[in-house]
Amino acid sequence: MAEPPLLPLKENKIAKGTFAVVGIMSTLVIYGILQEKIMRVPYGPNKEFFSYSLFLVFCNRITTSAVSAGVLLASKKALDPVAPLYKYGVVSISNILTTTCQYEALKYVSFPVQTLAKCAKMIPVMIWGAIIMQKKYQGQDYLLAFLVTLGCSLFILYQGAGDISPFNRGRESTVWGVSLMIGYLGFDGFTSTFQDKLFKGYDMEIHNQIFYTTVCSCLLSFTGLILQGNLLMAIDFVSRHHDCFFDIALLSTVATASQFFISYTIRTFGALTFATIMTTRQLVSILLSCLWFGHPLSWEQCIGAVIVFGSLYARSFLKTKEKAETKAPGGS
């Protein structure tokens, strides 16, 4: 008689899991395809390329800040800052540099290369974690970091023949693209580590941090566009190319939606499940990009991808096993 009540609970968990997986996979896969299309595919009969990365950052952040403010007001939570404003500013500056490096890198390396390189973000996270949070890591963490670095190196150094970019200048562009990706990884690792420190140092609600960080990002990116003289040029471009305007609007929408799906997944299922979903999303994104935009993969790149994703799935499996072993003594 005790079993029937468990069935609705199990079905509810499956429904929540399906909602999280579909939400993250759909928004981030669309986001990946759109950012490559905007930065690498020409618009209009004159084949003009969009090159205003900071404008994309501004559009993304203003959409996210508006939605997070709406969520805070709807839930009747205070809009007052919890931490000093300069700390939100630090996260914001780092986040702008992260996103700008990400968009600029797409001019010089293909989306599959960029996506796989993102898998190496655990390395700067470990470095910043040791510096900022004084964290200590196990031997298997360093081994995993080495394997992911090896796989990413193979994927970047042995690119398939015929992968053409309008900004391509041969080997120099690859070096510049890789430099931008290193910048992306370094700034992204700092951003997530500093955000973690803010959450642990202050009783901070996630939408509060998103709101103040994105508002700071809006002001900084807007200022950057004015100083560069690119704001009117970017507006002129999207006013002449309505399909580009639609792409940017959709990019900002799915970027904002993905933030809330990510928060929901971590809160409901934990960071480990989220990491597994993200690994799968990256694999799907690479395969879709290769099919959609015709990126050829060399056999060395295939080996690199197997090493990276194999290592990440092995990590998820080992963490799940450790978690089960830790719970076992209490449950027996």
Side-chain angles (χ1 to χ4, degrees):
M1 295 296 290
E3 283 187 23
L6 295 175
L7 292 174
L9 290 174
K10 188 176 180 181
E11 288 174 3
N12 189 36
K13 191 172 182 181
I14 291 170
K16 285 182 177 179
T18 304
F19 176 73
V21 171
V22 171
I24 289 176
M25 293 283 284
S26 59
T27 54
L28 290 180
V29 167
I30 293 169
Y31 177 82
I33 290 172
L34 280 172
Q35 71 175 4
E36 181 168 22
K37 181 177 184 288
I38 292 167
M39 298 305 297
R40 290 174 70 94
V41 176
Y43 289 94
N46 296 325
K47 304 294 182 185
E48 296 179 77
F49 289 92
F50 185 86
S51 58
Y52 311 104
S53 302
L54 206 55
F55 185 73
L56 291 182
V57 176
F58 174 71
C59 291
N60 286 358
R61 299 303 179 266
I62 200 168
T63 304
T64 306
S65 61
V67 173
S68 58
V71 170
L72 284 170
L73 290 171
S75 57
K76 297 181 180 178
K77 291 178 180 174
L79 278 172
D80 299 330
V82 177
L85 286 175
Y86 79 89
K87 293 195 174 183
Y88 294 106
V90 169
V91 175
S92 177
I93 291 169
S94 180
N95 187 255
I96 286 175
L97 291 170
T98 298
T99 312
T100 303
C101 284
Q102 175 183 338
Y103 289 140
E104 284 294 311
L106 273 176
K107 296 178 181 179
Y108 307 100
V109 297
S110 68
F111 179 75
V113 169
Q114 187 192 81
T115 302
L116 200 84
K118 287 180 185 179
C119 295
K121 70 168 61 178
M122 67 181 64
I123 299 163
V125 166
M126 287 170 69
I127 294 169
W128 286 119
I131 295 170
I132 297 174
M133 308 283 283
Q134 283 79 51
K135 287 185 177 180
K136 297 193 182 297
Y137 299 94
Q138 299 176 351
Q140 69 179 36
D141 294 318
Y142 291 107
L143 175 62
L144 179 68
F146 169 76
L147 289 173
V148 169
T149 305
L150 174 65
C152 289
S153 300
L154 284 172
F155 204 89
I156 291 168
L157 294 174
Y158 296 94
Q159 295 190 44
D163 195 0
I164 305 298
S165 164
F167 302 90
N168 202 357
R169 304 283 187 281
R171 182 173 175 77
E172 294 156 359
S173 69
T174 302
V175 171
W176 181 234
V178 171
S179 300
L180 285 166
M181 283 308 302
I182 291 171
Y184 162 81
L185 290 169
F187 290 125
D188 187 56
F190 175 83
T191 302
S192 57
T193 306
F194 200 81
Q195 281 178 316
D196 190 23
K197 187 174 183 179
L198 277 182
F199 277 124
K200 288 178 179 175
Y202 299 89
D203 185 18
M204 185 178 291
E205 211 272 337
I206 190 165
H207 298 296
N208 183 282
Q209 194 202 85
I210 290 174
F211 174 70
Y212 278 98
T213 301
T214 51
V215 165
C216 288
S217 295
C218 285
L219 294 172
L220 291 169
S221 55
F222 183 78
T223 304
L225 284 166
I226 296 293
L227 293 175
Q228 289 176 349
N230 285 342
L231 179 61
L232 293 178
M233 293 170 70
I235 293 171
D236 175 65
F237 188 97
V238 297
S239 65
R240 288 186 292 108
H241 302 286
H242 294 160
D243 50 342
C244 182
F245 173 80
F246 174 77
D247 288 342
I248 292 173
L250 186 56
L251 180 81
S252 300
T253 303
V254 294
T256 301
S258 69
Q259 290 293 321
F260 293 97
F261 278 117
I262 287 167
S263 303
Y264 172 81
T265 304
I266 293 173
R267 186 172 64 247
T268 309
F269 299 100
L272 187 61
T273 301
F274 169 67
T276 306
I277 295 170
M278 287 297 285
T279 302
T280 307
R281 191 276 300 182
Q282 287 166 327
L283 180 58
V284 171
S285 294
I286 288 175
L287 293 174
L288 280 177
S289 179
C290 289
L291 292 170
W292 195 294
F293 296 102
H295 298 300
L297 293 182
S298 64
W299 65 268
E300 292 95 343
Q301 286 184 307
C302 292
I303 292 172
V306 169
I307 291 172
V308 170
F309 289 112
S311 301
L312 293 174
Y313 280 119
R315 175 174 178 260
S316 296
F317 173 76
L318 289 171
K319 292 287 184 185
T320 305
K321 191 177 178 183
E322 284 176 12
K323 196 174 178 181
E325 287 173 354
T326 305
K327 284 183 176 180
S332 58

